Amino acid sequence: MKCRKCGTTAVINMRQHRLSLCQDCFLEWVPQRVQRAIEKLGMFEPSERVLIAVSGGKDSLSLWDILLRLGYQTEGLYINLGILDRDYSSISQQKVEHFAAAHAAQFRVVNVATEYGMSIPEVSRRKRGRSICGTCGLVKRHIMNQAACEGDYAALATGHNLDDEAAVLFQNALHWATGYLARQAPVLPANRRGLARKVKPLIRLYEREMAAYAFLRGIDYVYEECPYVKGATTLFYKGLLDQLEEFSPGAKQMFYLSFLQARREGRLLPFSVSDVEMGECERCGQPTTAPELCAFCRLWDVGTKD
Ligand code: Q46
Ligand code: ZN
């Protein structure tokens, strides 16, 4: 198998793109694909500061690596969730620290237990009606948004890849969750006070391509998945899409990118984000539909159930 660009031995064959590349050409091709997504979707400019949410996993550390290689001004944000099982949180924090030290990159850590008095497993155990991943998602979204707004970053970037987005789209389409479909976008504008712009620069890259990138760049990431991921429904949908991809290479990409294109061209049903009144949380000031405290602030109050 030969590299289509330079003719030397290829290390990866991407059937979905009908493209085989050698190591050097692949390591150039990935940042080019990210750069195109950033420019085409107007995610951010080289003159702007970007906050990257890093978990210690392959996608977010690779995203950081790519943006640094492309010359963007980035800083990392690591949220320590306090997951003790298999030392997950401390190992992933170490991976972020090593990456930052090796690249002389700036980052900050928010430790949930230190900052709010309880780790994610603890607060989720106390709020029995909520799943741990639901609680974790709520906390991470709040902390990321707050850090991006307070630090005055132009955007908050996350490492969601094409497989992640296709799985969420599949799940939302299966349930005709039109509100979620309307909000599923690679760029969410900062259209309210207290809301940061959110961007997903890896949406044109498959999970397999990101794993190959991390490996070939020698990025040391946390291999173990979070111990709580087993029950996550997106894994099930990812498995279904993998079967589809096996049968028809490029199916995932077509499914997700065609959705984005159809929406851009106004060819979708008139999905609408319901125009609910939003106020400010009395405690943290972030936008909320709740009358007094937002869901994040209510989470830490003893005695309340949700
Ligand atoms: S970190 Fe948190 Fe994930 Fe672990 S507890 Fe669930 S949501 S699985 S991305
Ligand atoms: Zn609040």
Side-chain angles (χ1 to χ4, degrees):
M1 194 174 59
K2 297 267 184 247
C3 172
R4 239 217 6 231
K5 289 192 192 277
C6 73
T8 56
T9 307
V11 294
I12 186 164
N13 178 25
M14 297 173 284
R15 290 201 300 157
Q16 62 277 21
H17 310 305
R18 295 206 188 94
L19 183 63
S20 305
L21 293 174
C22 70
Q23 175 160 341
D24 288 351
C25 291
F26 177 72
L27 291 179
E28 286 310 309
W29 177 84
V30 171
Q32 283 166 5
R33 217 163 159 75
V34 174
Q35 178 74 54
R36 264 204 302 280
I38 293 170
E39 285 173 5
K40 195 170 165 202
L41 299 167
M43 292 186 179
F44 44 81
E45 298 290 328
S47 59
E48 294 178 320
R49 290 163 60 247
V50 179
L51 183 66
I52 306 183
V54 279
S55 64
K58 68 177 188 318
D59 297 302
S60 55
L61 287 183
S62 295
L63 171 61
W64 204 359
D65 182 71
I66 292 165
L67 294 185
L68 287 170
R69 286 181 67 203
L70 289 170
Y72 285 104
Q73 302 178 49
T74 60
E75 275 158 49
L77 168 69
Y78 174 74
I79 302 173
N80 188 311
L81 307 167
I83 295 175
L84 304 177
D85 201 357
R86 287 185 263 139
D87 279 339
Y88 177 72
S89 287
S90 54
I91 293 173
S92 42
Q93 182 168 336
Q94 278 166 21
K95 302 291 182 189
V96 174
E97 286 167 354
H98 288 162
F99 180 93
H103 294 77
Q106 298 290 316
F107 78 107
R108 58 174 289 211
V109 175
V110 175
N111 186 307
V112 175
T114 315
E115 205 81 18
Y116 301 101
M118 267 177 284
S119 68
I120 293 294
E122 283 167 346
V123 70
S124 134
R125 260 197 302 277
R126 214 168 48 91
K127 302 271 168 171
R128 263 174 266 130
R130 263 184 187 280
S131 72
I132 184 156
C133 289
T135 306
C136 182
L138 169 69
V139 170
K140 286 193 292 194
R141 280 193 300 278
H142 179 97
I143 294 173
M144 291 189 294
N145 185 61
Q146 188 177 38
C149 288
E150 286 178 1
D152 218 11
Y153 293 90
L156 169 77
T158 53
H160 295 95
N161 59 41
L162 193 141
D163 290 49
D164 297 326
E165 292 301 297
V168 172
L169 176 61
F170 191 30
Q171 185 171 8
N172 288 339
L174 216 53
H175 296 99
W176 287 117
T178 53
Y180 286 122
L181 284 167
R183 278 191 297 269
Q184 194 185 346
V187 178
L188 286 175
N191 55 3
R192 277 177 209 274
R193 220 181 107 229
L195 269 191
R197 160 184 283 248
K198 319 236 168 40
V199 297
K200 296 172 183 170
L202 300 183
I203 46 132
R204 293 176 65 87
L205 287 149
Y206 275 61
E207 185 139 351
R208 174 173 171 263
E209 293 159 8
M210 292 316 300
Y213 181 87
F215 174 74
L216 295 172
R217 285 283 294 163
I219 293 172
D220 180 21
Y221 62 88
V222 59
Y223 292 98
E224 294 260 345
E225 298 255 43
C226 169
Y228 297 104
V229 82
K230 290 186 288 291
T233 46
T234 43
L235 278 191
F236 172 68
Y237 293 113
K238 274 188 176 180
L240 293 177
L241 288 170
D242 282 343
Q243 287 180 37
L244 193 61
E245 182 77 20
E246 185 60 36
F247 178 72
S248 168
K252 277 184 221 175
Q253 174 175 262
M254 194 190 62
F255 176 56
Y256 178 62
L257 298 182
S258 306
F259 162 72
L260 295 186
Q261 193 180 349
R263 198 175 47 186
R264 259 198 316 274
E265 295 171 357
R267 288 188 283 113
L268 288 181
L269 294 169
F271 296 142
S272 63
V273 184
S274 54
D275 242 345
V276 278
E277 273 290 301
M278 275 212 166
E280 280 182 8
C281 169
E282 286 178 6
R283 191 176 296 164
C284 72
Q286 288 205 21
T288 179
T289 50
E292 291 162 9
L293 296 183
C294 71
F296 174 85
C297 288
R298 288 201 308 273
L299 196 61
W300 313 100
D301 283 349
V302 184
T304 53
K305 274 196 84 187
D306 62 338

